[in-house]
Amino acid sequence: MPPIEHLYIHIPFCPKLCPYCCFYVEEGAKNKNRAFLDALLLELEKQNQIREVIPRTIYMGGGTPTSLLADQLAYLMEGLKTRLPLHQLEEWTVEANPATVRPEKARLLKEAGVNRISLGVQSWNDTTLKTLGRVHSSLQARKTVETLLGAGFASLNIDLMFSVPGQTLEEWEADLQTTLEIAPSHISAYCLTYEEDTDFFLKLSKGHFKQDEARDARLFELTMEQLEAGGYAQYEISNHARPGHESRHNIACWEGREYLGLGPSAFSTLNGERTQNVCDTAEYVRRLNAGMPPVHSRESLDASTLLKEKVAFGLRMATGVEEEHLDNWHAEKIHLLEIGLLERHDSRLRLTRRGKMLADAVGESFMG
Ligand SMILES: C[S@@+](CC[C@H](N)C(=O)[O-])C[C@H]1O[C@@H](n2cnc3c(N)ncnc32)[C@H](O)[C@@H]1O
Ligand code: SF4
C-alpha cells in the first residue's frame, strides 16, 4: 500500500471554550500532560506499523496546539520528528490562538520545521471579540502577528469571522481592511455558523440572536470583493490566498485524498473507511495504554458516498468538479446551469459568483 501522505493531529486544549465552537476541546490542564503526548506518539507508532506515514502535509489543529506549554510543545515536536520521515514534507501548519503565542513558542515551532501558522484572530474589533467570548484583545492579536512574522513565518493564515451578533457592515469592512494592511499570505473568512449544543445556538433558539440571510450574503459579497481587490484568490468558499499560499493540507482533504488523524475526536479517511477517535481525552489515553485502538466509530465509504463528497467539496473550490462527476444528477445540473448558479470552465463545472452565495443549497442538490 502507498504511504499515508497527509497527517492531522488534534490537540484538544483551549485557554477558554468559545461559545460558538463545536470542536472537541477542553478547558484547563487536567489532561494536558506528558501522558497525553505519549498517547499521541503511541497512536502514530501503531499506525506506522499498519501503514507507513511519509507526510507531505501535517496539520496540527484543535483546539489550540499553542496552548501546550513550551516544554510540552518541544517534547511533542521532537517525538514527531523522531517517528516521521520528513524528507517529503511540503507544509506543516500549526493552529494558534493569539493569547497563547510567546516568542519562545514561535521560535521553537519554526526550529522544529513548522512553516505555516494559522492564527485565530476572528476580528480586530474588541467589542466583536467580546461577543465571541475570545480571551485576547485586538492589540494582543497584533502583537502575536508581529511575533510570528519576527520568528520568520512567511506563510501565515488569519482566521476571521463575520455575521457575528451586533457586528455592522462597516465593522466587518474595517476588519477586512486591517487584515489587508497586515497582508498575511492567507485569509480564512468564515460566516458564523450556529452549531448545535453551543451557547450561541441556545441564544439563537431563545431569540436573543437573530439570523439574517440577506445580511450574511451582503457581508460575504463584500468579503469576496475586498479580498479579490487586495490580491487574494478565493480558492475555496471561505479561503483566500496569495498565489502559491493555498493550504495544501486542506486542498488534499477537500479533494478526497486519504489522511490519518491522530488524537481525541480526530477523523481519518483511510483504506475506504472513515473512522473517528473517541471524544474523550482521558479515555483516549486509557485505550492507547491498554493496547486498544482509540477508535469510536467506523463508516465504510462506498463509491456513492465518495462521489457525493467529491462533488460537495469540489463545488466549494474554485477549480470545481469534472462534469462527468455530475452524470447522476443530470436534471439538477442543467437547472443550475440555466439559472446561472453553475458555469462550465475548462470542461469542468464550478459555481458562479451568485452560486457561491448559495453554495450550501447548490451542494445539497447533489446529495440525493
Ligand atoms: C479550530 S479553530 C482553531 C483556531 C484556534 N483554536 C482559535 O480559535 O484561535 C478554527 C477556526 O474555525 C472558525 N470557527 C470555529 N467555530 C466556528 C463557527 N461556529 N462558525 C464559523 N467559524 C467558526 C474560527 O475562525 C476558528 O479560528
Ligand atoms: S474557537 Fe478555537 S479557541 Fe475557541 S474553543 Fe474553538 S478551538 Fe478553542
Side-chain angles (χ1 to χ4, degrees), residues 13-18 20-23 25 62-64 97 122 134:
F13 309 114
C14 290
K16 181 171 164 278
L17 304 189
C18 302
Y20 54 84
C21 179
C22 69
F23 294 103
V25 293
T64 307
N97 173 312
Q122 321 309 351
R134 300 289 294 180

Side-chain angles (χ1 to χ4, degrees), residues 25-138:
V25 293
E26 49 181 71
E27 216 175 75
K30 195 166 87 167
N31 294 305
K32 199 166 79 173
N33 50 30
R34 186 63 68 89
F36 167 71
L37 302 176
D38 286 333
L40 267 185
L41 297 172
L42 187 58
E43 192 189 4
L44 174 58
E45 278 172 22
K46 298 226 156 159
Q47 283 293 343
N48 239 331
Q49 284 159 11
I50 303 169
R51 192 167 155 195
E52 198 183 2
V53 187
I54 306 183
R56 286 186 181 281
T57 67
I58 305 177
Y59 195 103
M60 288 170 62
T64 307
T66 49
S67 68
L68 291 172
L69 303 173
D71 65 331
Q72 293 175 328
L73 212 44
Y75 181 79
L76 177 60
M77 303 315 266
E78 194 49 39
L80 292 172
K81 284 169 66 179
T82 53
R83 286 163 182 81
L84 286 171
L86 295 179
H87 58 282
Q88 303 235 47
L89 190 68
E90 296 162 15
E91 179 185 277
W92 188 344
T93 301
V94 171
E95 281 185 346
N97 173 312
T100 58
V101 184
R102 304 276 170 281
E104 184 195 359
K105 282 189 202 170
R107 247 193 332 269
L108 186 158
L109 292 173
K110 188 79 177 67
E111 280 165 15
V114 173
N115 56 14
R116 184 170 183 273
I117 297 285
S118 177
L119 186 67
V121 171
Q122 321 309 351
S123 171
W124 301 103
N125 179 303
D126 283 327
T127 308
T128 306
L129 289 175
K130 200 161 171 221
T131 307
L132 288 171
R134 300 289 294 180
V135 284
H136 56 87
S137 64
S138 153

Side-chain angles (χ1 to χ4, degrees), residues 236-247:
E236 196 268 351
I237 291 285
S238 307
N239 287 284
H240 310 254
R242 292 196 179 282
H245 287 278
E246 298 82 5
S247 163

